[in-house]
Amino acid sequence: MPFSIYVGNLPWSTTPDDLRALFEPYGEVENARIITDRETGRSRGFGFVDMADEEAGRRAIAELHNQEYGGRPLTVNEAQARPGGF
């Protein structure tokens, strides 16, 4: 089961490939996605990264949280399941 990570405060221009490249030095990235507004298609400034290995994911969280990326301090933590299971 992949280890899911929330990444917030992303620059609006960040792409899924950018997000993947940011996390790949820490281990295998299974999926990287940017959440977009349904109506406009623009980035909402956050995304999720699924890593194959929990230990690598925890190391990435420890090293990337509050690091500056594109002029903004990142918020990086373990993703939490949404209430209601959506």
Side-chain angles (χ1 to χ4, degrees):
M1 182 170 194
F3 183 73
S4 191
I5 300 169
Y6 166 84
V7 187
N9 206 29
L10 289 167
W12 306 118
S13 60
T14 305
T15 67
D17 287 341
D18 294 335
L19 198 54
R20 177 179 293 275
L22 183 64
F23 280 81
E24 280 182 334
Y26 300 97
E28 181 187 346
V29 175
E30 291 186 355
N31 189 25
R33 58 200 182 281
I34 301 292
I35 304 306
T36 56
D37 183 276
R38 285 185 194 149
E39 293 179 15
T40 66
R42 289 189 301 222
S43 169
R44 293 187 56 200
F46 69 95
F48 295 92
V49 174
D50 295 329
M51 297 196 72
D53 179 65
E54 181 177 342
E55 185 177 318
R58 292 198 183 281
R59 188 169 60 250
I61 290 170
E63 294 192 22
L64 292 173
H65 183 67
N66 281 329
Q67 287 296 321
E68 192 169 297
Y69 181 74
R72 303 173 79 162
L74 294 175
T75 300
V76 184
N77 51 48
E78 185 175 351
Q80 303 297 312
R82 287 177 62 176
F86 289 96

XYZ file of all heavy atoms in Angstrom:
676
model
N 0.851 -1.189 0.000
C 0.000 0.000 0.000
C 0.889 1.243 0.000
O 1.800 1.360 0.815
C -0.904 -0.028 1.235
C -1.857 1.116 1.307
S -3.044 0.824 2.639
C -4.215 2.055 2.214
N 0.623 2.168 -0.905
C 1.484 3.362 -0.956
C 1.312 4.255 0.265
O 0.273 4.237 0.924
C 1.039 4.079 -2.227
C -0.282 3.523 -2.566
C -0.384 2.166 -1.939
N 2.347 5.022 0.539
C 2.347 5.988 1.636
C 1.991 7.340 1.020
O 2.720 7.853 0.171
C 3.732 6.020 2.293
C 3.821 6.926 3.475
C 3.230 6.578 4.677
C 4.498 8.128 3.390
C 3.314 7.417 5.780
C 4.595 8.974 4.481
C 3.993 8.613 5.689
N 0.854 7.903 1.426
C 0.339 9.123 0.807
C 0.744 10.362 1.599
O 0.617 10.400 2.820
C -1.180 9.027 0.696
O -1.680 10.051 -0.116
N 1.216 11.374 0.863
C 1.727 12.603 1.466
C 0.971 13.802 0.910
O 0.780 13.917 -0.306
C 3.234 12.758 1.148
C 4.011 11.566 1.714
C 3.784 14.078 1.686
C 5.445 11.483 1.224
N 0.543 14.684 1.798
C -0.080 15.948 1.414
C 1.022 16.995 1.242
O 1.929 17.087 2.063
C -1.048 16.398 2.513
C -1.491 17.837 2.381
C -2.543 18.180 1.553
C -0.839 18.856 3.073
C -2.943 19.507 1.416
C -1.232 20.181 2.947
C -2.285 20.493 2.113
O -2.675 21.796 1.979
N 0.936 17.778 0.167
C 1.904 18.846 -0.089
C 1.117 20.125 -0.342
O 0.376 20.224 -1.323
C 2.793 18.538 -1.311
C 3.895 19.578 -1.437
C 3.384 17.137 -1.220
N 1.250 21.082 0.571
C 0.501 22.329 0.460
C 1.395 23.535 0.260
O 2.611 23.467 0.410
N 0.753 24.656 -0.062
C 1.408 25.942 -0.305
C 2.303 25.891 -1.538
O 3.340 26.540 -1.603
C 2.182 26.424 0.921
C 2.330 27.937 0.940
O 1.485 28.658 0.421
N 3.400 28.413 1.530
N 1.863 25.114 -2.537
C 2.616 25.001 -3.786
C 2.405 26.242 -4.652
O 1.311 26.802 -4.677
C 2.135 23.781 -4.585
C 2.499 22.410 -4.028
C 1.706 21.333 -4.743
C 3.993 22.164 -4.183
N 3.436 26.649 -5.388
C 3.239 27.713 -6.378
C 2.178 27.263 -7.391
O 2.094 26.072 -7.721
C 4.607 27.834 -7.052
C 5.574 27.267 -6.072
C 4.819 26.194 -5.340
N 1.388 28.197 -7.889
C 0.292 27.866 -8.813
C 0.791 27.175 -10.070
O 0.055 26.418 -10.705
C -0.492 29.122 -9.201
C -0.999 29.893 -8.019
C -0.665 31.178 -7.686
C -1.908 29.452 -7.003
N -1.307 31.541 -6.522
C -2.075 30.501 -6.082
C -2.590 28.264 -6.772
C -2.895 30.409 -4.963
C -3.404 28.166 -5.647
C -3.552 29.233 -4.769
N 2.040 27.428 -10.451
C 2.583 26.893 -11.695
C 3.111 25.461 -11.564
O 3.531 24.866 -12.560
C 3.715 27.795 -12.185
O 4.752 27.844 -11.215
N 3.099 24.885 -10.366
C 3.651 23.544 -10.153
C 2.851 22.499 -10.929
O 1.624 22.474 -10.870
C 3.644 23.185 -8.656
O 4.340 24.192 -7.931
C 4.314 21.834 -8.404
N 3.571 21.629 -11.638
C 2.933 20.547 -12.397
C 3.117 19.221 -11.643
O 3.978 19.121 -10.756
C 3.573 20.403 -13.787
O 4.927 19.943 -13.619
C 3.542 21.715 -14.561
N 2.350 18.195 -12.019
C 2.589 16.872 -11.412
C 4.023 16.391 -11.625
O 4.600 15.774 -10.726
C 1.578 15.973 -12.127
C 0.457 16.905 -12.482
C 1.143 18.201 -12.853
N 4.616 16.688 -12.785
C 6.010 16.283 -13.028
C 6.973 17.008 -12.090
O 7.946 16.420 -11.610
C 6.406 16.549 -14.479
C 5.760 15.558 -15.446
O 5.317 14.476 -15.009
O 5.713 15.873 -16.644
N 6.698 18.297 -11.811
C 7.525 19.049 -10.858
C 7.450 18.402 -9.478
O 8.462 18.259 -8.781
C 7.040 20.497 -10.722
C 7.197 21.319 -11.985
O 8.060 20.997 -12.822
O 6.438 22.303 -12.135
N 6.238 18.041 -9.082
C 6.020 17.437 -7.759
C 6.746 16.094 -7.668
O 7.413 15.805 -6.671
C 4.513 17.281 -7.529
C 4.033 17.085 -6.118
C 4.535 18.164 -5.177
C 2.515 17.019 -6.096
N 6.638 15.299 -8.720
C 7.337 14.009 -8.761
C 8.852 14.223 -8.624
O 9.513 13.548 -7.830
C 7.021 13.290 -10.077
C 7.748 11.969 -10.254
C 7.374 11.287 -11.560
N 5.992 10.844 -11.568
C 5.575 9.679 -11.054
N 6.448 8.846 -10.500
N 4.316 9.344 -11.101
N 9.397 15.185 -9.367
C 10.838 15.454 -9.334
C 11.297 15.912 -7.947
O 12.409 15.603 -7.513
C 11.199 16.500 -10.383
N 10.435 16.626 -7.232
C 10.765 17.098 -5.891
C 10.921 15.934 -4.911
O 11.778 15.955 -4.026
C 9.663 18.061 -5.409
C 9.842 18.716 -4.052
C 11.060 19.634 -4.041
C 8.581 19.512 -3.707
N 10.110 14.879 -5.081
C 10.107 13.757 -4.142
C 10.969 12.575 -4.571
O 11.330 11.754 -3.732
C 8.655 13.296 -3.893
C 7.939 14.162 -2.911
C 7.392 15.371 -3.302
C 7.836 13.792 -1.575
C 6.738 16.193 -2.396
C 7.194 14.605 -0.661
C 6.648 15.806 -1.066
N 11.307 12.458 -5.853
C 12.073 11.293 -6.321
C 13.426 11.095 -5.643
O 13.846 9.951 -5.483
C 12.223 11.332 -7.841
C 10.963 10.840 -8.521
C 11.054 10.800 -10.031
O 11.851 11.566 -10.613
O 10.306 10.000 -10.623
N 14.130 12.157 -5.209
C 15.401 11.901 -4.513
C 15.241 11.088 -3.223
O 16.218 10.511 -2.729
C 15.920 13.310 -4.197
C 15.288 14.186 -5.221
C 13.931 13.583 -5.461
N 14.026 10.998 -2.690
C 13.796 10.293 -1.424
C 13.352 8.850 -1.622
O 13.340 8.072 -0.680
C 12.752 11.053 -0.592
C 13.229 12.449 -0.293
C 12.817 13.524 -1.083
C 14.130 12.690 0.725
C 13.279 14.807 -0.844
C 14.610 13.973 0.969
C 14.177 15.018 0.179
O 14.655 16.288 0.415
N 12.956 8.487 -2.845
C 12.508 7.118 -3.101
C 11.533 7.072 -4.261
O 11.262 8.080 -4.911
N 10.998 5.875 -4.498
C 10.103 5.665 -5.637
C 8.770 6.385 -5.439
O 8.088 6.180 -4.442
C 9.846 4.166 -5.834
C 8.945 3.868 -7.007
C 8.553 2.401 -7.110
O 9.176 1.553 -6.433
O 7.618 2.120 -7.851
N 8.426 7.223 -6.412
C 7.140 7.929 -6.404
C 6.181 7.152 -7.299
O 6.435 6.979 -8.487
C 7.305 9.381 -6.913
C 5.946 10.073 -7.009
C 8.240 10.162 -6.006
N 5.085 6.660 -6.709
C 4.095 5.918 -7.488
C 3.145 6.852 -8.218
O 2.684 6.541 -9.311
C 3.312 4.967 -6.589
C 4.143 3.822 -6.060
C 3.317 2.807 -5.297
O 2.106 3.024 -5.079
O 3.895 1.780 -4.907
N 2.828 7.989 -7.601
C 1.874 8.916 -8.191
C 2.099 10.305 -7.607
O 2.388 10.429 -6.421
C 0.442 8.437 -7.892
C -0.607 9.213 -8.642
O -0.356 9.782 -9.699
N -1.813 9.252 -8.090
N 1.953 11.322 -8.439
C 2.027 12.710 -7.986
C 0.910 13.456 -8.693
O 0.790 13.385 -9.912
C 3.377 13.321 -8.322
N 0.058 14.148 -7.925
C -1.056 14.858 -8.549
C -1.269 16.214 -7.896
O -1.082 16.365 -6.689
C -2.324 14.024 -8.534
C -2.793 13.600 -7.163
C -3.742 12.411 -7.249
N -4.242 12.008 -5.945
C -3.564 11.288 -5.062
N -2.329 10.917 -5.315
N -4.098 10.956 -3.904
N -1.650 17.158 -8.714
C -1.988 18.504 -8.267
C -3.512 18.597 -8.273
O -4.160 18.195 -9.254
C -1.396 19.572 -9.223
C 0.125 19.450 -9.315
C -1.838 20.975 -8.805
C 0.878 19.809 -8.063
N -4.078 19.119 -7.214
C -5.533 19.269 -7.142
C -5.920 20.574 -7.843
O -5.332 21.622 -7.580
C -6.014 19.259 -5.674
C -5.544 17.976 -4.976
C -7.532 19.400 -5.607
C -5.921 16.673 -5.653
N -6.897 20.462 -8.733
C -7.326 21.621 -9.510
C -8.782 21.969 -9.221
O -9.569 21.114 -8.799
C -7.154 21.365 -11.023
O -7.879 20.186 -11.379
C -5.697 21.196 -11.393
N -9.113 23.212 -9.469
C -10.479 23.696 -9.331
C -11.337 23.061 -10.429
O -10.950 23.069 -11.595
C -10.485 25.220 -9.447
C -11.870 25.789 -9.243
O -12.626 25.818 -10.238
O -12.188 26.199 -8.121
N -12.488 22.515 -10.071
C -13.341 21.846 -11.045
C -13.828 22.780 -12.145
O -13.976 22.377 -13.284
C -14.567 21.239 -10.348
C -14.251 20.017 -9.576
C -15.517 19.403 -9.020
N -15.160 18.419 -8.024
C -15.878 18.114 -6.974
N -17.026 18.713 -6.771
N -15.475 17.210 -6.119
N -14.108 24.016 -11.785
C -14.678 24.953 -12.759
C -13.627 25.597 -13.653
O -13.850 25.744 -14.853
C -15.480 26.030 -12.036
C -16.722 25.472 -11.363
C -17.513 26.531 -10.630
O -17.279 27.731 -10.854
O -18.373 26.139 -9.827
N -12.487 25.986 -13.088
C -11.488 26.727 -13.869
C -10.343 25.847 -14.358
O -9.639 26.230 -15.284
C -10.881 27.869 -13.037
O -10.141 27.296 -11.948
C -11.953 28.814 -12.514
N -10.125 24.699 -13.705
C -9.006 23.838 -14.068
C -7.667 24.311 -13.530
O -6.644 23.682 -13.754
N -7.670 25.419 -12.792
C -6.413 25.951 -12.234
C -6.048 25.223 -10.942
O -6.911 24.745 -10.211
C -6.554 27.447 -11.959
C -6.601 28.261 -13.240
C -6.518 29.730 -12.953
N -7.626 30.149 -12.095
C -8.314 31.261 -12.259
N -8.020 32.088 -13.220
N -9.299 31.563 -11.428
N -4.757 25.222 -10.663
C -4.248 24.609 -9.436
C -4.880 25.261 -8.212
O -5.091 26.475 -8.177
C -2.728 24.781 -9.372
O -2.244 24.422 -8.097
N -5.148 24.438 -7.209
C -5.646 24.957 -5.933
C -4.490 25.153 -4.946
O -4.723 25.501 -3.793
C -6.701 24.013 -5.356
C -7.953 24.019 -6.255
C -9.104 23.249 -5.698
N -9.479 23.722 -4.376
C -10.186 23.001 -3.514
N -10.583 21.788 -3.840
N -10.497 23.477 -2.333
N -3.254 24.910 -5.389
C -2.091 25.178 -4.552
C -1.686 24.037 -3.633
O -0.879 24.213 -2.736
N -2.259 22.856 -3.883
C -1.837 21.694 -3.094
C -1.953 20.434 -3.937
O -2.567 20.431 -5.006
C -2.612 21.569 -1.775
C -4.069 21.209 -1.922
C -4.480 19.888 -1.828
C -5.028 22.184 -2.125
C -5.821 19.553 -1.942
C -6.369 21.869 -2.233
C -6.765 20.542 -2.145
N -1.325 19.383 -3.438
C -1.364 18.122 -4.152
C -1.019 16.965 -3.238
O -0.874 17.139 -2.019
N -0.888 15.798 -3.838
C -0.591 14.582 -3.093
C 0.466 13.780 -3.835
O 0.491 13.752 -5.064
C -1.854 13.728 -2.923
C -2.893 14.392 -2.079
C -3.872 15.181 -2.661
C -2.880 14.252 -0.700
C -4.835 15.820 -1.895
C -3.824 14.898 0.084
C -4.811 15.673 -0.516
N 1.321 13.140 -3.059
C 2.351 12.264 -3.602
C 2.197 10.914 -2.920
O 2.082 10.842 -1.690
C 3.766 12.835 -3.334
C 4.843 11.848 -3.770
C 3.937 14.177 -4.024
N 2.164 9.841 -3.709
C 2.134 8.481 -3.170
C 3.503 7.871 -3.371
O 3.982 7.775 -4.508
C 1.080 7.628 -3.881
C -0.335 8.114 -3.631
O -0.584 8.671 -2.545
O -1.191 7.940 -4.521
N 4.129 7.493 -2.264
C 5.451 6.874 -2.332
C 5.336 5.384 -2.042
O 4.490 4.956 -1.248
C 6.405 7.553 -1.364
C 6.610 9.023 -1.730
S 8.025 9.799 -0.948
C 9.377 9.047 -1.831
N 6.192 4.602 -2.686
C 6.144 3.148 -2.551
C 6.547 2.688 -1.154
O 6.074 1.660 -0.669
C 7.043 2.503 -3.602
N 7.408 3.453 -0.493
C 7.985 3.033 0.783
C 7.675 4.058 1.872
O 7.972 5.244 1.712
C 9.507 2.881 0.599
C 10.203 2.464 1.865
O 9.948 1.344 2.333
O 11.003 3.259 2.378
N 7.085 3.597 2.974
C 6.716 4.506 4.065
C 7.937 5.200 4.667
O 7.896 6.403 4.947
C 5.958 3.753 5.165
C 5.546 4.665 6.303
C 4.725 3.966 7.371
O 4.177 2.874 7.124
O 4.641 4.538 8.480
N 9.034 4.468 4.850
C 10.234 5.067 5.441
C 10.758 6.215 4.567
O 11.109 7.286 5.057
C 11.311 4.004 5.620
C 12.547 4.513 6.333
C 13.570 3.410 6.559
O 13.176 2.296 6.936
O 14.766 3.693 6.359
N 10.780 5.998 3.254
C 11.213 7.051 2.331
C 10.256 8.240 2.398
O 10.678 9.397 2.370
C 11.286 6.506 0.909
N 8.967 7.949 2.499
C 7.972 9.012 2.607
C 8.146 9.839 3.865
O 8.068 11.075 3.826
N 8.405 9.183 4.967
C 8.608 9.911 6.230
C 9.879 10.758 6.183
O 9.920 11.860 6.718
C 8.632 8.942 7.410
C 7.282 8.301 7.642
C 7.138 7.684 9.002
N 5.859 7.024 9.146
C 4.703 7.644 9.392
N 4.679 8.954 9.501
N 3.583 6.958 9.509
N 10.910 10.252 5.521
C 12.151 11.019 5.356
C 11.883 12.257 4.491
O 12.344 13.362 4.798
C 13.242 10.139 4.745
C 14.615 10.791 4.727
C 15.727 9.817 4.356
N 15.541 9.223 3.043
C 15.216 7.940 2.816
N 15.082 7.099 3.827
N 15.058 7.493 1.587
N 11.114 12.092 3.419
C 10.766 13.218 2.548
C 9.976 14.278 3.325
O 10.244 15.477 3.204
C 9.961 12.735 1.344
N 9.026 13.840 4.149
C 8.255 14.780 4.964
C 9.189 15.563 5.880
O 9.124 16.789 5.956
C 7.175 14.042 5.789
C 6.065 13.528 4.863
C 6.591 14.956 6.869
C 5.085 12.585 5.547
N 10.072 14.844 6.573
C 10.981 15.491 7.518
C 11.882 16.515 6.835
O 12.154 17.587 7.392
C 11.831 14.431 8.230
N 12.330 16.209 5.630
C 13.284 17.096 4.961
C 12.623 18.214 4.153
O 13.220 19.266 3.965
C 14.223 16.275 4.084
C 15.100 15.376 4.945
C 16.239 14.745 4.176
O 16.631 15.276 3.126
O 16.734 13.709 4.649
N 11.408 17.989 3.660
C 10.773 18.985 2.792
C 9.810 19.928 3.507
O 9.541 21.020 3.002
C 10.047 18.289 1.632
C 10.952 17.601 0.618
C 10.119 16.804 -0.382
C 11.836 18.611 -0.096
N 9.302 19.534 4.671
C 8.365 20.409 5.386
C 9.059 21.729 5.738
O 10.160 21.749 6.275
C 7.843 19.719 6.652
C 6.823 20.547 7.374
N 5.593 20.813 6.836
C 6.869 21.173 8.561
C 4.912 21.581 7.680
N 5.672 21.810 8.737
N 8.404 22.826 5.394
C 8.898 24.201 5.613
C 10.068 24.592 4.715
O 10.617 25.683 4.877
C 9.252 24.470 7.086
C 8.017 24.747 7.898
O 7.028 25.288 7.399
N 8.052 24.367 9.165
N 10.468 23.726 3.786
C 11.506 24.104 2.828
C 10.894 25.047 1.794
O 9.742 24.892 1.414
C 12.072 22.870 2.111
C 12.959 22.018 2.975
C 14.222 22.745 3.416
O 14.825 23.487 2.659
N 14.603 22.517 4.660
N 11.693 26.004 1.336
C 11.197 26.931 0.334
C 11.201 26.268 -1.042
O 12.164 25.607 -1.417
C 12.055 28.190 0.313
C 11.409 29.291 -0.494
C 12.115 30.616 -0.318
O 12.128 31.121 0.825
O 12.631 31.116 -1.319
N 10.099 26.415 -1.756
C 9.958 25.893 -3.106
C 9.207 26.934 -3.920
O 8.079 27.284 -3.584
C 9.201 24.561 -3.087
C 9.042 23.946 -4.448
C 10.112 23.343 -5.098
C 7.817 23.973 -5.096
C 9.973 22.784 -6.355
C 7.663 23.412 -6.350
C 8.744 22.818 -6.973
O 8.598 22.266 -8.222
N 9.845 27.453 -4.928
C 9.212 28.492 -5.739
C 8.882 29.736 -4.938
O 7.892 30.420 -5.220
N 9.699 30.017 -3.916
C 9.488 31.208 -3.098
C 8.464 31.046 -1.992
O 8.112 32.015 -1.321
N 7.996 29.820 -1.784
C 6.980 29.583 -0.750
C 7.415 28.430 0.163
O 7.937 27.434 -0.322
C 5.655 29.213 -1.412
C 5.181 30.269 -2.395
C 3.977 29.813 -3.141
N 2.814 29.982 -2.278
C 1.577 30.011 -2.718
N 1.323 29.862 -3.994
N 0.578 30.177 -1.896
N 7.162 28.553 1.477
C 7.491 27.437 2.374
C 6.442 26.328 2.228
O 5.247 26.573 2.377
C 7.444 28.062 3.766
C 6.514 29.228 3.621
C 6.655 29.711 2.206
N 6.893 25.134 1.919
C 5.982 24.009 1.720
C 5.397 23.510 3.039
O 6.067 23.519 4.069
C 6.713 22.845 1.053
C 7.194 23.054 -0.370
C 8.004 21.835 -0.813
C 6.027 23.299 -1.308
N 4.174 23.039 2.975
C 3.556 22.286 4.057
C 3.540 20.836 3.585
O 2.912 20.528 2.567
C 2.116 22.761 4.316
O 2.150 24.137 4.673
C 1.452 21.948 5.422
N 4.247 19.965 4.281
C 4.354 18.564 3.859
C 4.068 17.685 5.072
O 4.753 17.776 6.090
C 5.767 18.253 3.303
C 5.836 16.829 2.779
C 6.151 19.241 2.210
N 3.033 16.846 4.963
C 2.738 15.912 6.046
C 1.993 14.696 5.516
O 1.609 14.654 4.358
C 1.980 16.596 7.201
C 0.768 17.364 6.727
O -0.031 16.862 5.956
N 0.644 18.607 7.183
N 1.825 13.708 6.383
C 1.116 12.499 5.987
C -0.324 12.852 5.660
O -0.986 13.573 6.417
C 1.180 11.463 7.104
C 0.573 10.138 6.717
C 0.747 9.057 7.780
O 1.492 9.272 8.757
O 0.123 8.004 7.623
N -0.803 12.384 4.515
C -2.186 12.669 4.109
C -3.139 11.964 5.061
O -2.889 10.840 5.504
C -2.411 12.194 2.678
N -4.224 12.635 5.353
C -5.254 12.080 6.229
C -6.470 11.703 5.398
O -6.822 12.398 4.443
C -5.680 13.117 7.283
C -4.532 13.639 8.124
C -3.893 12.546 8.949
O -4.576 11.778 9.618
N -2.575 12.471 8.900
N -7.129 10.611 5.747
C -8.342 10.202 5.027
C -9.420 11.256 5.237
O -9.565 11.810 6.333
C -8.815 8.856 5.550
N -10.149 11.542 4.181
C -11.221 12.531 4.290
C -12.395 11.932 5.050
O -12.737 10.765 4.864
C -11.685 12.946 2.894
C -10.661 13.823 2.211
C -11.058 14.172 0.819
N -12.291 14.939 0.789
C -12.820 15.450 -0.320
N -12.208 15.266 -1.460
N -13.926 16.122 -0.278
N -13.053 12.717 5.901
C -14.245 12.229 6.594
C -15.299 11.779 5.582
O -15.483 12.429 4.546
C -14.728 13.441 7.392
C -13.545 14.351 7.480
C -12.718 14.083 6.252
N -15.943 10.693 5.858
C -16.960 10.191 4.948
C -16.395 9.291 3.866
O -17.130 8.742 3.060
N -15.073 9.129 3.841
C -14.443 8.210 2.916
C -14.393 8.633 1.467
O -14.254 7.814 0.584
N -14.516 9.900 1.191
C -14.487 10.377 -0.204
C -13.068 10.568 -0.669
O -12.206 10.959 0.006
C -15.236 11.710 -0.337
C -16.721 11.532 -0.178
C -17.305 11.751 1.043
C -17.508 11.145 -1.243
C -18.660 11.596 1.216
C -18.865 10.985 -1.080
C -19.444 11.201 0.139
